[in-house]
Amino acid sequence: MERLDKIISSQGKYSRSEVKKLVRAGLVLLNGEKVKSADVKADADRDTISVNGEVISYKKHIYIMLNKPQGVVSATDDPVHKTVIDLVPPSLFRQGLFPAGRLDGDTTGFVLITDDGDFAHRILSPKNHIMKTYHATLDHTLTDEDIKAFTEGIELRDGTLCLEAQVKMLSEEPPVAEVRIHEGKYHQVKRMFAALGNKVIALKRVQMGGLELDGRLKEGECRELTPDELKAVTG
């Protein structure tokens, strides 16, 4: 059981102060009865809560797929650049949202945004082997030796050793490679190619775990994940 104003405000549409004003106006109902105080206790999973005629569909956490454009930073706040959180529409926004894993400012594609810290830890931990798949446009085509180096684990120029990864060429002109890694080191994909004397011209994350980026999402657009899609990320 939790305070009613906390339950309602956690869903993002109303602040706690707004909930209190709505209660005083008689616009908040709990199981069909007008609420007299915002601090009344309720069970979010069992009770029916409505605000201004709209039933609250309570969700403890939210999980959002964003197709990140270039130039947007993977942060909750930035004094200069637009952040991935700035792209979340009011209908999906709630306090505590953050990107579960980062993409460089010039990298595009799949960013998962959530307010569930435990889930984020699970998908980001290398020991859980959640694969992240990228499409990298390169300066030149990979050789067989390059591909073998990925499978054995590339040593970066600063001596850092990356775990084994998967790579294959998708096209020769322009040279585009698909890379699958289950780590998240700083600028890792770019640094892996650089260690082989190649340069990443453009980079896009297209899949997390078993879930592909929705091809219908334009850059800058996002949507909530379904329960099955959420399972696919960790599966």
Side-chain angles (χ1 to χ4, degrees):
M1 302 285 280
E2 284 190 292
R3 286 174 54 121
L4 188 61
D5 57 349
K6 184 177 180 181
I7 292 172
I8 296 172
S9 64
S10 74
Q11 302 306 287
K13 188 171 183 179
Y14 303 100
S15 67
R16 291 178 78 161
S17 61
E18 288 172 333
V19 173
K20 291 174 182 177
K21 291 178 182 178
L22 290 164
V23 167
R24 288 196 295 269
L27 296 175
V28 179
L29 305 182
L30 178 60
N31 297 322
E33 301 291 331
K34 285 185 180 180
V35 174
K36 296 180 180 180
S37 174
D39 62 3
V40 66
K41 296 294 181 66
D43 185 330
D45 294 319
R46 296 185 178 183
D47 292 326
T48 300
I49 302 166
S50 63
V51 180
N52 203 17
E54 180 184 3
V55 174
I56 299 294
S57 298
Y58 177 80
K59 296 173 184 174
K60 185 176 182 180
H61 295 295
I62 192 167
Y63 309 89
I64 299 166
M65 174 191 290
L66 168 72
N67 186 359
K68 187 184 93 65
Q70 215 172 26
V72 175
V73 296
S74 297
T76 56
D77 184 65
D78 190 280
V80 177
H81 302 95
K82 181 175 286 188
T83 74
V84 292
I85 304 303
D86 293 330
L87 298 179
V88 178
S91 59
L92 296 177
F93 183 83
R94 58 169 68 184
Q95 294 297 321
L97 287 178
F98 64 93
R102 296 176 179 271
L103 289 183
D104 304 337
D106 59 354
T107 300
T108 62
F110 192 167
V111 173
L112 201 158
I113 297 172
T114 185
D115 57 352
D116 186 345
D118 290 338
F119 173 80
H121 176 74
R122 289 200 305 275
I123 68 170
L124 296 176
S125 175
K127 69 179 182 180
N128 290 328
H129 302 290
I130 303 298
M131 282 288 187
K132 276 80 72 175
T133 306
Y134 299 81
H135 287 173
T137 303
L138 304 174
D139 181 61
H140 56 266
T141 302
L142 297 177
T143 65
D144 291 341
E145 289 76 15
D146 293 335
I147 293 172
K148 182 181 179 183
F150 269 87
T151 63
E152 293 177 345
I154 290 176
E155 183 177 338
L156 304 180
R157 288 175 173 173
D158 64 358
T160 301
L161 184 62
C162 297
L163 297 176
E164 63 275 8
Q166 301 170 21
V167 66
K168 65 180 180 181
M169 293 301 301
L170 297 178
S171 69
E172 301 292 328
E173 188 58 46
V176 178
E178 180 179 273
V179 188
R180 304 185 75 210
I181 63 173
H182 50 85
E183 296 178 282
K185 292 182 173 67
Y186 180 69
H187 289 182
Q188 181 172 343
V189 174
K190 295 176 183 176
R191 293 165 70 200
M192 292 170 83
F193 283 110
L196 300 175
N198 210 327
K199 182 179 180 180
V200 174
I201 308 300
L203 187 64
K204 180 176 184 177
R205 184 156 66 193
V206 297
Q207 186 169 333
M208 294 184 70
L211 181 60
E212 294 183 7
L213 175 66
D214 188 339
R216 296 169 295 183
L217 286 178
K218 298 177 183 177
E219 288 192 355
E221 292 184 340
C222 62
R223 66 166 176 81
E224 189 173 1
L225 296 183
T226 68
D228 285 343
E229 288 175 331
L230 191 60
K231 291 177 183 177
V233 173
T234 55

